Every structure is written in C-alpha cells, then in structure tokens.
Amino acid sequence: MALRVAQVAQWQEYSQCQLSRCASERDVADRLRELDSYLAERVYFVGNDQSEADVSIFQSLINTVTNLGFPEKETYRNLSRWFNHIQNKTLEDSQTPIVFLKSPIYLPPLV
C-alpha cells in the first residue's frame, strides 16, 4: 500500500513539474513520447486500476491532447488509448469527449 501511495505521489509530481511547465513544443513532444512509451505495456500509471495519478496526468494533458491532430494522436497510440479510456471513465455527460478517430467505425442507430 505504501508503495502505491509513493508511486501515485511521484506521478502527481511529474504532472506538476514536467507536464505543466513545458516551455516549447519539443518539450511537449518529449513528454508525450515518454508517457506513450511508459504506457506501452500498461493500462494505468499505477497498479491495475485508475488512481489519482491517472486523473492528475489526464488533467495536465487535456489541453495538449485537445490540440493534437489525428496524425499526432496516432503517433502516440498508447497515450491516446489511455487518454480515451480515462476520459470515458472521468468525463461527465455534459462534457464533450475528445475524438480519436477521423471517422467512426460504427455509427449509432438513427432514432
């Protein structure tokens, strides 16, 4: 339990110190590559379920991911997968989710 608390705190600090203070587009790209690589074999940042680390990183990335084009989102596949998963669990019904596909594979039935 103490290890999980320490890992969550570490990711929250990373979120505040690394993600929130990117000075250039290159810094942003470097951080996105780091996170994408980290998530290559993981669903969440800490453990097997969503933690405060995921929420903290999600909140720090929301503006950045909103401004990514589809090719950039495809470049960061693991990060995009994670982000889409977290937004589906976190966003309220009134909030518009960020789109990750150019065209939907399956359309909802017309009512």
Side-chain angles (χ1 to χ4, degrees):
M1 183 68 173
L3 177 60
R4 181 178 171 91
V5 171
Q7 289 173 328
V8 167
Q10 180 182 20
W11 281 112
Q12 288 174 320
E13 182 178 341
Y14 177 91
S15 176
Q16 293 172 353
C17 295
Q18 298 294 322
L19 299 178
S20 299
R21 298 182 183 164
C22 290
S24 67
E25 287 184 30
R26 182 177 177 163
D27 289 341
V28 171
D30 289 346
R31 297 300 82 74
L32 294 178
R33 271 192 299 280
E34 286 174 359
L35 296 172
D36 187 67
S37 177
Y38 184 80
L39 290 166
E41 297 181 12
R42 295 171 179 85
V43 176
Y44 300 103
F45 279 93
V46 177
N48 296 320
D49 55 351
Q50 183 175 316
S51 69
E52 287 299 316
D54 295 288
V55 174
S56 179
I57 293 170
F58 176 83
Q59 292 298 326
S60 292
L61 289 176
I62 199 160
N63 290 332
T64 300
V65 174
T66 298
N67 293 320
L68 292 178
F70 289 110
E72 292 168 303
K73 290 175 187 170
E74 191 66 23
T75 299
Y76 308 112
R77 284 184 178 191
N78 301 311
L79 182 61
S80 292
R81 170 193 43 81
W82 168 84
F83 192 93
N84 192 39
H85 176 69
I86 299 300
Q87 82 173 349
N88 287 327
K89 290 181 74 169
T90 305
L91 291 182
E92 296 176 14
D93 291 337
S94 62
Q95 295 174 296
T96 305
I98 297 169
V99 178
F100 284 88
L101 296 172
K102 273 189 178 178
S103 58
I105 297 172
Y106 302 103
L107 296 174
L110 297 174
V111 185

